[in-house]
Amino acid sequence: MKKYRWWFLGTGAVLLLFVSFPFVVIYLLNNGNPYTRYWTEKQVPAHLESQGYTKGDLLEDHWVLPNYRINNDIYTDGYMVRFKDEPTVTYTYGVKRHGKNVVQYCEIEATDIQDSFLISSGPTEHSESTCINHLENR
């Protein structure tokens, strides 16, 4: 009887894995990797505070998950920030895979009056001196 009990438990565990696998994949596709999201939401606000920005300086800041693969040295998750003194410019930050350092992407999205998106590559008020291109190391 003991022999059959282990066989039933093993079969049940394998069936549970097969049934739950599609649900796990769908969750990860819709919500992103929880590990990388944790690091992004932890590191970027701390980086902004170390740069001298407070929560009162920010108009909007939140985690984002792009629809495409970005730089291989950076986690796919991003963190978008808009400042109160520059409400039409959106800055995107990422976290490096090794060392968990925060970097700012050089590509900056700016909205004009008609709410169309323009890509600005020139320096702006909150641009950091060292930035990376998000499509550089694909």
Side-chain angles (χ1 to χ4, degrees):
M1 193 68 177
K2 278 187 167 183
K3 181 179 179 183
Y4 293 115
R5 184 173 11 154
W6 287 110
W7 186 83
F8 283 124
L9 288 175
T11 305
V14 169
L15 285 175
L16 182 64
L17 286 173
F18 278 125
V19 170
S20 64
F21 182 74
F23 295 105
V24 170
V25 169
I26 290 170
Y27 174 83
L28 291 175
L29 288 174
N30 288 331
N31 299 315
N33 186 342
Y35 175 76
T36 59
R37 183 175 183 167
Y38 166 78
W39 277 109
T40 304
E41 289 180 334
K42 179 181 176 187
Q43 295 292 101
V44 176
H47 173 74
L48 292 173
E49 284 180 15
S50 71
Q51 295 288 327
Y53 301 116
T54 62
K55 201 70 166 158
D57 296 333
L58 307 178
L59 181 64
E60 177 184 7
D61 63 326
H62 57 87
W63 171 85
V64 292
L65 183 64
N67 294 329
Y68 51 88
R69 184 78 176 140
I70 58 170
N71 193 320
N72 286 330
D73 296 334
I74 311 294
Y75 287 133
T76 304
D77 305 38
Y79 201 83
M80 299 192 84
V81 177
R82 286 180 35 211
F83 294 94
K84 285 187 179 178
D85 57 350
E86 248 182 339
T88 60
V89 179
T90 303
Y91 298 91
T92 308
Y93 294 86
V95 177
K96 288 188 174 186
R97 292 180 187 270
H98 305 290
K100 308 291 188 268
N101 297 329
V102 176
V103 292
Q104 185 183 53
Y105 296 127
C106 295
E107 296 81 15
I108 299 168
E109 294 180 3
T111 57
D112 64 356
I113 298 171
Q114 290 85 18
D115 287 331
S116 62
F117 288 97
L118 305 170
I119 301 298
S120 168
S121 60
T124 56
E125 188 174 336
H126 300 286
S127 294
E128 294 183 5
S129 60
T130 57
C131 63
I132 62 164
N133 294 322
H134 72 285
L135 298 177
E136 190 172 88
N137 183 16
R138 291 177 68 180

